[in-house]
Amino acid sequence: MRPAASGPCMPIRILPDELVDQIAAGEVIERPASVVKELVENSLDAGARRIQIDVEQGGIGLIRVRDDGSGILASELAVALSRHATSKISSQDDLAGVVTLGFRGEALPSMASVSRFRIISGVRGDDRGAEIVAEGGTLSPVAPAAPMTGTTVEVRDLFYNIPARRKFVRSVATEIGAILRLVERLALARPEVAFRLRHGERTLLEAGAPASGASDARAARIDAVLGREFREHALPLAQAAGPIAVSGWIGAPTAARARADLQFCFVNGRPVRDRLLMNAVRLGYRDVLYHGRHPGYVLDLAIDPTLVDVNAHPQKLELRFRDSRQVHDFLFRAVERALAATRPLGLASAAAVPDPDAPGPGPGASAVAGADWNASRFESRLVVMPRRADSLRVAEADPRAGFDWRALRSTESVLDPELAERPLGRALAQLHGIYVLAETSDGLILVDMHAAHERVLYEQMKRSLDAGSMPSQRLLAPLSVALRPHEVDHVLEHQAEWEAAGFELERLSPSELVVRSVPAALAREDIAALLRAAVEDMENGDGRHHLDGAAHRLLGTLACRSAIRAHRSLSLAEMDALLRQMEATDRADQCNHGRPTWARIGLAELDRLFLRGR
Ligand code: ADP
Ligand code: MG
């Protein structure tokens, strides 16, 4: 292939303005959604309280954005359409601490050069408005218009004069989907502003302004945009440290989704999709997520504007932080800390039983571990009622003891003060060798014993590891374990992690390891089998998705492989011990793979099953 520069050269010359504008437009205006973004951001910068967006044919036919913001003076309309004209900054100093969404002065001229374009605007108190029309970048003179407060911008026939770009526009459904997602993001970013998005005759999004004095406009806006379910399965988060603060909601790990479509992050009111921030949140979920699943979150970061550069990306989606490590660690810790609270402790206060007469959650809803608890803990719609006096007490908590039918007829009230203090209740039985059944003060609990034990072990070992004191136990006689040569290599490559985990091992031969010490917590396990299983998991990369850091990954694997297996029968004492450990363990609501560890069926739900109290 011949380099383009060879052959008869064209003379060097300055490109006509129109072409320059069109080339520049390519950076800012990629598709209809970019037009919507720039226009709505301008409205927000103009202090609008109400923004109406009307779209036709996926935005290719028409995009009209109407606001009630400050408006543009007739004398400035033409300037607003020239390149690099902005009212938002005037010096380099302004740029360093910019708080408006726009500041490059590129959007309006870019749009005007690739569409049939019109602005009508008026300033409050002025007795006339003004309008200006542009076609493919050619401006007509400013003309008078009816008085108004605010601005309406119309962009018609987008890319009509750039067929090459037009070809890249996708189907109406795809483009309108992108527009909707964008408006959702902006509406979440600015709960104090009313938004309406219509496509043709259909209203796609309607989010009113919060009632004056509403205590939590953000919560109401999240419910309006994402639906109520999101917050029902989310934990609130609010933390601050020095120049940074974060607030919002993070989805319970058990409510994680197959797609990463519910992740919203705002920095000083600007929607961003910044990799550093997304990674920090992801890391906060590192060992509570079912692999391949994505958490939902709506997070609002406030950071001193001089510590963040928003001018690192033409669409300003990526940011540059003065101290990115600090921001990353702050966010990661905040998420991790909030998630550590997902343990069954809260149940004690959830002796608050939902009013059986009120339309409660459906039978499926309350059976999700964590989610139920989260909802009851953070929402005040649950009513606290005195504990039921007629709860049926199973004699001696031994399922094998004969059932005392007389107890059914007894009207004597049975109150067990002990139970109220045990969120996960008292073990009654093991079901199918998989689940522990426990009675609580307000219903019953089912625990997946393997999943629960795995989490308990993992957290225990992780604490020791992080404290640098993994209790290790020397074997009476060294144990030799036969592995395939590449497995031996693999273990020795990660020797530091194995040692940190409490193992002491070395190569005996190309296909044999000798183990001298093991983690004390695992001393009673079949070490050879455990070692083989762990090597296999690590080689397959199991765990890589959800556990971070090789050492934690190894612990996760060890915990999973040594946690009680299905079909091992447990005594009631052992089951009770497991329940107590869960209550004391961070993140006990889900196993290392993100599966729930327990579920609850409340008395109210049991009553519903048997039509009691109806
Ligand atoms: P930028 O937003 O980067 O300043 P734009 O090209 O988007 O650049 O807009 C140019 C200028 O036009 C803005 O700085 C602002 O003064 C004015 N403007 C644009 N849209 C509006 C609006 N909806 N209301 C009031 N002024 C606006
Ligand atoms: Mg702008």
Side-chain angles (χ1 to χ4, degrees):
M1 223 170 79
R2 268 175 22 176
S6 69
C9 284
M10 285 200 272
I12 299 177
R13 61 187 156 195
I14 304 233
L15 294 174
D17 279 352
E18 247 180 72
L19 190 52
V20 172
D21 283 340
Q22 287 175 0
I23 293 171
E27 255 194 54
V28 190
I29 308 299
E30 251 182 317
R31 61 193 298 187
S34 349
V35 172
V36 177
K37 171 177 188 289
E38 295 297 334
L39 293 180
V40 173
E41 290 190 351
N42 279 348
S43 299
L44 290 170
D45 282 345
R49 299 269 115 199
R50 205 177 154 67
I51 300 176
Q52 298 181 343
I53 306 140
D54 285 281
V55 174
E56 282 166 22
Q57 295 162 267
I60 285 295
L62 167 74
I63 294 169
R64 180 193 300 120
V65 174
R66 179 180 315 181
D67 70 51
D68 60 355
S70 62
I72 307 174
L73 290 169
S75 56
E76 293 190 339
L77 263 187
V79 190
L81 282 181
S82 14
R83 218 142 27 90
H84 309 305
T86 178
S87 56
K88 299 171 192 175
I89 55 172
S90 61
S91 68
Q92 200 164 358
D93 282 354
D94 292 348
L95 185 58
V98 69
V99 289
T100 49
L101 296 166
F103 53 80
R104 291 166 165 247
E106 287 177 333
L108 295 187
S110 296
M111 284 174 219
S113 71
V114 297
S115 70
R116 299 184 219 276
F117 184 89
R118 185 160 96 119
I119 307 187
I120 316 164
S121 194
V123 174
R124 183 184 300 280
D126 208 342
D127 59 2
R128 48 183 241 169
E131 77 166 82
I132 189 168
V133 179
E135 203 165 312
T138 312
L139 305 190
S140 304
V142 175
M148 65 187 285
T149 302
T151 304
T152 298
V153 181
E154 284 178 4
V155 174
R156 287 180 194 273
D157 303 327
L158 186 63
F159 302 137
Y160 80 97
N161 54 346
I162 322 190
R165 197 134 296 248
R166 180 71 219 253
K167 265 190 261 160
F168 284 97
V169 174
R170 318 267 287 277
S171 70
V172 165
T174 304
E175 296 300 339
I176 200 69
I179 291 173
L180 176 59
R181 280 192 300 279
L182 176 101
V183 176
E184 282 175 352
R185 237 180 310 156
L186 288 162
L188 285 171
R190 296 294 178 90
E192 74 285 2
V193 178
F195 284 83
R196 191 194 67 194
L197 169 64
R198 278 199 314 211
H199 187 221
E201 299 289 292
R202 281 185 56 206
T203 301
L204 300 183
L205 182 139
E206 173 103 60
S212 63
S215 65
D216 202 340
R218 168 64 51 93
R221 178 55 57 91
I222 290 176
D223 291 353
V225 174
L226 302 180
R228 294 193 62 89
E229 313 83 71
F230 173 74
R231 277 196 322 121
E232 278 166 12
H233 302 283
L235 302 143
L237 173 153
Q239 288 188 34
I244 326 176
V246 62
S247 63
W249 276 264
I250 57 176
T254 43
R257 305 161 62 80
R259 292 197 303 145
D261 57 347
L262 266 190
Q263 305 186 334
F264 300 92
C265 201
F266 310 107
V267 174
N268 295 341
R270 175 193 301 283
V272 296
R273 290 197 67 74
D274 184 78
R275 210 150 314 144
L276 175 101
L277 299 178
M278 292 164 74
N279 283 340
V281 177
R282 178 109 208 141
L283 194 59
Y285 277 87
R286 66 182 158 181
D287 51 38
V288 292
L289 220 52
Y290 193 70
H291 97 85
R293 297 232 137 206
H294 304 274
Y297 52 82
V298 180
L299 290 174
D300 205 11
L301 256 86
I303 176 166
D304 177 342
T306 59
L307 299 181
V308 50
D309 181 3
V310 291
N311 196 19
H313 186 264
Q315 287 157 31
K316 311 185 193 87
L317 288 173
E318 296 259 343
L319 306 171
R320 212 175 288 133
F321 296 99
R322 176 91 57 91
D323 185 346
S324 51
R325 183 88 242 150
Q326 179 196 29
V327 174
H328 178 273
D329 289 357
F330 166 75
L331 185 57
F332 150 57
R333 299 275 170 223
V335 170
E336 189 184 51
R337 216 168 302 147
L339 288 173
T342 56
R343 54 162 125 168
L345 273 184
L347 265 182
S349 61
V353 177
D355 179 351
D357 294 326
S366 61
V368 181
D372 177 24
W373 163 66
N374 294 329
S376 59
R377 178 154 174 204
F378 296 111
E379 293 204 346
S380 52
R381 63 198 168 81
L382 294 186
V383 187
V384 180
M385 297 205 331
R387 201 143 56 81
R388 308 284 301 239
D390 55 345
S391 79
L392 174 68
R393 184 174 177 179
V394 178
E396 307 309 328
D398 184 345
R400 284 157 302 198
F403 195 73
D404 182 2
W405 290 100
R406 275 165 309 178
L408 276 180
R409 262 181 264 121
S410 146
T411 53
E412 194 191 325
S413 68
V414 186
L415 284 170
D416 184 346
E418 246 180 47
L419 267 192
E421 260 130 56
R422 297 174 174 180
L424 290 178
R426 170 178 43 206
L428 298 180
Q430 194 176 8
L431 303 179
H432 301 281
I434 297 174
Y435 302 107
V436 172
L437 170 67
E439 179 195 25
T440 65
S441 60
D442 70 330
L444 58 88
I445 297 273
L446 289 166
V447 170
D448 178 328
M449 62 185 201
H450 172 77
H453 191 219
E454 176 183 326
R455 168 62 69 180
V456 167
L457 276 178
Y458 175 58
E459 291 293 331
Q460 242 172 31
M461 292 197 285
K462 203 166 60 167
R463 262 199 314 276
S464 308
L465 180 84
D466 293 347
S469 61
M470 180 66 86
S472 175
Q473 184 168 326
R474 217 170 165 75
L475 297 176
L476 278 177
L479 174 77
S480 91
V481 180
L483 293 170
R484 282 172 294 168
H486 73 275
E487 293 174 331
V488 172
D489 291 342
H490 188 275
V491 171
L492 293 174
E493 266 164 39
H494 293 88
Q495 189 147 16
E497 286 106 53
W498 287 90
E499 274 169 15
F503 283 93
E504 192 189 327
L505 28 77
E506 60 190 275
R507 196 193 307 264
L508 198 61
S509 76
S511 58
E512 222 174 343
L513 278 176
V514 58
V515 184
R516 300 189 193 282
S517 305
V518 298
L522 307 180
R524 287 191 304 180
E525 301 292 327
D526 175 347
I527 296 296
L530 185 60
L531 210 70
R532 281 195 206 98
V535 170
E536 192 180 309
D537 285 355
M538 291 188 87
E539 275 198 330
N540 291 341
D542 292 359
R544 197 156 300 166
H545 311 284
H546 46 275
L547 300 190
D548 220 73
H552 282 184
R553 223 145 50 212
L554 174 61
L555 295 189
T557 291
L558 292 172
C560 179
R561 291 300 189 155
S562 53
I564 34 176
R565 295 269 130 211
H567 306 303
R568 207 184 100 194
S569 69
L570 297 184
S571 68
L572 284 177
E574 284 176 311
M575 290 187 248
D576 268 324
L578 177 61
L579 298 178
R580 301 293 81 78
Q581 283 178 324
M582 286 174 71
E583 286 161 4
T585 299
D586 285 349
R587 306 173 192 85
D589 282 358
Q590 53 278 312
C591 76
N592 305 343
H593 308 88
R595 285 192 304 272
T597 53
W598 60 272
R600 170 165 82 125
I601 302 178
L603 264 185
E605 208 170 312
L606 290 172
D607 288 350
R608 263 198 298 277
L609 281 177
F610 296 100
L611 307 179
R612 277 176 75 94
R614 288 287 142 112

